Amino acid sequence: MTALDLSSPVAVVGTGTMGQGIAQVALLAGHPVRLYDAAPGRAREAADAIGARLDRLVEKDRLTAAGRDAARARLEPAEDIAGLAGCSLVVEAILERLDVKQELFRALEDVVGDDCLLATNTSSLSVTAIGGALRNPGRFVGLHFFNPAPLLPLVEVVSGFATDVTSATRAYETARAWGKTPVACADTPGFIVNRIARPFYAEAFAVYEAQGADPATIDAVLRESGGFKMGAFELTDLIGQDVNEAVTHSVWRSFFQDVRFTPSLAQQRLVESGRLGRKSGHGWYDYADGAERPEPHTAEPARPPAYVVAEGDLGPASELLAMIREAGIQVREEEEDHGSRLVLPGGGQLALADGQTSVEFRDVVYFDLALDYRRATRIALSASQDTSSQTLSEAIGLFQALGKKVSVIGDVPGMIVARTVARIVDLAHDAVAKGVATEEDVDTAMRLGVNYPLGPFEWSRRLGRNWAYALLDDLHLRDPSGRYAPSLALYRHAYASDKREGSTS
């Protein structure tokens, strides 16, 4: 099944920001496009707005004047739904209410031909439930664009329970013909991106609620150590706290209140207070004119240790050994069968976050995961009230000698980046095991949909097959609510690795 022919008319119902964006994409791909909105005059206004955006593209040399004129000639507002007759694809981008969408598509079935592909751009409702109201649900599919649709490449092509393979394939190929990067997924709450991305927000909020660190520090660690483009607090301020919380609640309810998707009480209180982020002038941060952005916690300069003793290879942080030597600090290596750590001159230990807490051990400081320890500009450390000041000072001085800013947070198991990445990896394995999408499509979706530095399976391969399982298993022992219980898919992944390596543990 191939993409729709460019001569085939495409209709977009709903002329808000997303509807206009989808219409622009189809228009510039070469299709005749018809716009419809139930509110009188809105379709005409939307056509004018799209025309203005085409003018700006010409001004920026991204479109020729001839191309603009041809596109404008193909764009037609429809005064009523009957004006969509003859279209080969109708994409809906209206209010996120199941009954309203079902009513629309029932009406569309009386207008369009039997071979017309019907699609919804819903981000939170069940494609299966919307299509269930149709006489022919086999031609119904989800086409989830990301905002702004003309700029962001990802499109989730969602097959409902009754969607025909031919319909899903035609939608997929059409999205690709429009210059997008489609990923195929089953109809699951949150689809790919909104399902797997929940821990990015949830774990940041959980660290904050546990008083482990303030929003500015958590955001800085996620950016400067984890390699994420934005931290969770600044990103949800940009999205809108009400919007982000609504998606979280939708996924949580759709999974029958699965504890892994539990919403944040702190975010709920923020929404209740009217602090919705940038659009309201205040969210986690204050956006009023002249308001100062809070600075992340950064430790004062400390003296680096003269040497460290390396026990084991530090696993995902093994690059640190070479960096320490390059900084002029002696590294003494010792064989160690029970873990990987650095022993500091004062006798304290420095270990990569593993899901355990500092207070459980004598004089241990944990350091957080980094996407790339050489390129990271900040490293987080965690210590308990029992950690000696000498050990903490030596740990701070060590990372400062490597050119890093250091943020000291509370004794939070799994810290910030490590627990976030481990949970994202776990949800990704769980989704693939349940047939939601392929590993390749999950990685593509998370890189393009939410701009992650690596896809979850790329993280998993880099960190080691059982790294995420081991960290979450330790976290689960300390928080037996089920939030951190590794999925069966992740367990199988880790166990299969151990079995191949000859382990009987």
Side-chain angles (χ1 to χ4, degrees), residues 441-459:
D441 277 356
V442 167
D443 277 354
T444 297
M446 301 314 289
R447 286 196 314 269
L448 299 183
V450 276
N451 211 14
Y452 284 2
L454 294 175
F457 291 96
E458 291 173 313
W459 270 113

Side-chain angles (χ1 to χ4, degrees), residues 117-450:
L117 189 64
L118 300 178
T120 175
N121 183 58
T122 186
S123 61
S124 61
L125 298 177
S126 164
V127 171
T128 300
I130 301 171
L134 301 181
R135 294 191 300 271
N136 177 17
R139 60 163 161 179
F140 187 73
V141 67
L143 276 177
H144 181 216
F145 290 77
F146 288 73
N147 195 26
L151 297 180
L152 295 186
L154 185 69
V155 177
E156 292 176 318
V157 182
V158 186
S159 293
F161 187 79
T163 303
D164 292 336
V165 173
T166 52
S167 298
T169 302
R170 172 168 284 183
Y172 184 98
E173 293 300 335
T174 297
R176 185 158 62 178
W178 290 0
K180 297 301 180 182
T181 302
V183 292
C185 92
D187 185 19
T188 184
F191 308 142
I192 299 174
V193 172
N194 281 328
R195 172 178 176 152
I196 295 174
R198 294 348 291 163
F200 180 75
Y201 315 109
E203 294 312 307
F205 299 161
V207 172
Y208 168 75
E209 290 174 335
Q211 300 188 53
D214 60 278
T217 299
I218 296 170
D219 277 353
V221 172
L222 286 168
R223 289 193 313 269
E224 299 172 39
S225 183
F228 294 96
K229 297 297 183 183
M230 299 181 75
F233 296 90
E234 58 190 343
L235 179 55
T236 52
D237 268 357
L238 179 63
I239 294 169
Q241 297 302 331
D242 53 340
V243 174
N244 183 260
E245 188 204 28
V247 173
T248 299
H249 272 269
S250 175
V251 172
W252 175 62
R253 285 192 301 268
S254 297
F255 276 114
F256 309 106
Q257 299 185 5
D258 187 329
V259 69
R260 295 176 302 164
F261 301 101
T262 301
S264 162
L265 180 59
Q267 187 182 38
Q268 179 178 312
R269 292 289 181 260
L270 199 70
V271 172
E272 290 171 344
S273 72
R275 295 186 172 186
L276 306 182
R278 289 181 179 270
K279 63 185 178 183
S280 70
H282 204 304
W284 295 110
Y285 301 109
D286 186 352
Y287 298 94
D289 291 341
E292 291 188 12
R293 181 72 173 263
E295 292 293 324
H297 171 270
T298 303
E300 295 295 324
R303 186 187 301 275
Y307 68 91
V308 296
V309 178
E311 296 181 348
D313 64 2
L314 298 186
S318 57
E319 180 69 10
L320 285 174
L321 298 180
M323 295 169 59
I324 292 169
R325 290 189 179 96
E326 292 164 11
I329 299 172
Q330 183 184 7
V331 177
R332 305 172 185 173
E333 298 192 52
E334 293 185 0
E335 292 286 336
E336 176 56 53
D337 295 330
H338 304 288
S340 302
R341 62 184 68 86
L342 296 177
V343 180
L344 300 165
Q349 299 179 12
L350 185 60
L352 176 62
D354 59 7
Q356 301 182 87
T357 57
S358 247
V359 75
E360 300 171 54
F361 306 98
R362 187 189 68 82
D363 217 13
V364 169
V365 171
Y366 280 105
F367 64 94
D368 208 351
L369 181 68
L371 173 67
D372 183 329
Y373 282 97
R374 286 194 177 274
R375 298 178 63 183
T377 57
R378 183 179 300 272
I379 295 293
L381 302 179
S382 74
S384 75
Q385 65 270 24
D386 297 329
T387 305
S388 74
S389 58
Q390 179 181 354
T391 296
L392 183 56
S393 179
E394 287 175 344
I396 292 170
L398 175 64
F399 280 103
Q400 288 174 339
L402 304 184
K404 315 300 181 188
K405 296 176 182 177
V406 175
S407 292
V408 179
I409 69 171
D411 190 13
V412 178
M415 301 191 68
I416 298 170
V417 179
R419 69 195 287 178
T420 298
V421 170
R423 287 209 59 217
I424 289 170
V425 167
D426 182 46
L427 289 187
H429 277 278
D430 184 53
V432 170
K434 291 176 177 174
V436 173
T438 65
E439 292 186 7
E440 181 181 2
D441 277 356
V442 167
D443 277 354
T444 297
M446 301 314 289
R447 286 196 314 269
L448 299 183
V450 276

